[in-house]
Amino acid sequence: MTTVVPGRRTRRQSELLDRLLSLFLTQGFSRFTLDDLAAELRCSKTTLYALAPSKEQLAVEVVKHYFKNATAEVESAVAKQTRHDRRIAAYLNAVADALRPASRTFLDDVATFAPARSVYERNTRIAADRVRSLIEDGIASKAFRQVDIGFAAELVAHTMQAIQRGDIARRTGLSDAEAYRELASFVLHSLRHD
C-alpha cells in the first residue's frame, strides 16, 4: 500500500478527487468498495490509496474536497456583491447552489458516517458564523434594522444545522438547496427596515 503524503495533491489526484466527488454526489459512497471505485474510475487501488489509506478515509477526503470547492464558490459569489442584503442573499443562495448536485443518498451517507458528518457539521458552524458576520456588517452600516445579533445568528445556525441533519427535508419535503433558498428569503425579509 502506498503511503499518503500530506500536502498538495498532484493534478491527477485533484482530477481523481473531482471524479470521485461527482460519483459520490449522485450515488453516495457507502455502497462502494475500493474495488468498485477502482473499476468505476478505471484506476488501480494503489492510485486510490495514494489519496487515502482506506475507503472510509477516502470518503472523508472527498467530503472535505466538496466543502473546499463549495467554500471557494460561495465566497466568490459574496465578493461580487457590495450591498449588505445582496451579500447575505449571495452567500445563502450560493450554499444552495453548492448543495443542489448532492443527492439524498450522498447526504444520508454523510449523515450516517460520523467522520464525514463531522466535516459537514464543522462547515455548517463556519457558515453560520459567516452569516452572523454578514448580519453584523449590515446592522453596523444601517443597511439592516437593529436586531439582536446573537439571536439572529442562533436562529440561522439552528436552521442550518437542521438542514444539515436532514430534519428540514423530513419535515417539509424541501431539499437542502431549497431550504437554503427559503432561509435566505426569510433572513432578508426579517432584517430589512419596515
Side-chain angles (χ1 to χ4, degrees):
M1 184 175 351
T2 305
T3 304
V4 178
V5 179
R8 296 186 55 91
R9 300 211 184 270
T10 66
R11 188 175 58 115
R12 171 140 165 67
Q13 288 174 324
S14 293
E15 289 170 358
L16 192 57
L17 277 174
D18 288 339
R19 291 173 56 208
L20 280 165
L21 178 57
S22 285
L23 179 66
F24 287 4
L25 284 173
T26 58
Q27 299 182 39
F29 53 82
S30 64
R31 71 177 187 89
F32 290 105
T33 66
L34 276 176
D35 286 326
D36 295 335
L37 292 172
E40 184 78 28
L41 299 171
R42 293 182 174 88
C43 68
S44 69
K45 284 182 13 179
T46 303
T47 301
L48 294 175
Y49 282 129
L51 294 173
S54 69
K55 178 209 154 182
E56 291 75 18
Q57 290 173 323
L58 182 62
V60 171
E61 287 302 311
V62 172
V63 172
K64 286 179 182 177
H65 184 67
Y66 167 71
F67 281 106
K68 180 181 175 188
N69 291 346
T71 299
E73 291 170 14
V74 168
E75 289 301 333
S76 174
V78 172
K80 293 174 185 171
Q81 303 300 325
T82 55
R83 286 182 32 190
H84 293 286
D85 59 337
R86 290 187 180 159
R87 289 173 62 82
I88 288 179
Y91 188 90
L92 293 171
N93 287 324
V95 170
D97 290 343
L99 284 167
R100 186 170 293 108
S103 68
R104 190 74 251 162
T105 304
F106 172 75
L107 294 170
D108 288 345
D109 283 353
V110 169
T112 58
F113 182 49
R117 182 177 63 243
S118 175
V119 172
Y120 195 161
E121 289 169 351
R122 182 176 58 251
N123 279 278
T124 300
R125 284 190 303 274
I126 292 167
D129 288 344
R130 182 69 168 110
V131 171
R132 178 191 181 111
S133 73
L134 292 169
I135 292 170
E136 287 174 340
D137 291 347
I139 290 172
S141 71
K142 306 218 184 310
F144 299 145
R145 67 186 183 87
Q146 189 65 44
V147 298
D148 185 289
I149 295 170
F151 178 77
E154 282 301 305
L155 182 67
V156 171
H158 283 285
T159 303
M160 292 171 86
Q161 291 162 357
I163 293 168
Q164 176 261 313
R165 288 190 309 266
D167 296 345
I168 300 295
R170 279 190 297 282
R171 293 179 184 153
T172 66
L174 293 172
S175 70
D176 289 11
E178 292 165 336
Y180 269 97
R181 291 220 183 277
E182 290 297 321
L183 179 60
S185 175
F186 180 82
V187 168
L188 286 175
H189 284 92
S190 67
L191 292 173
R192 287 189 176 125
H193 294 280
D194 295 330

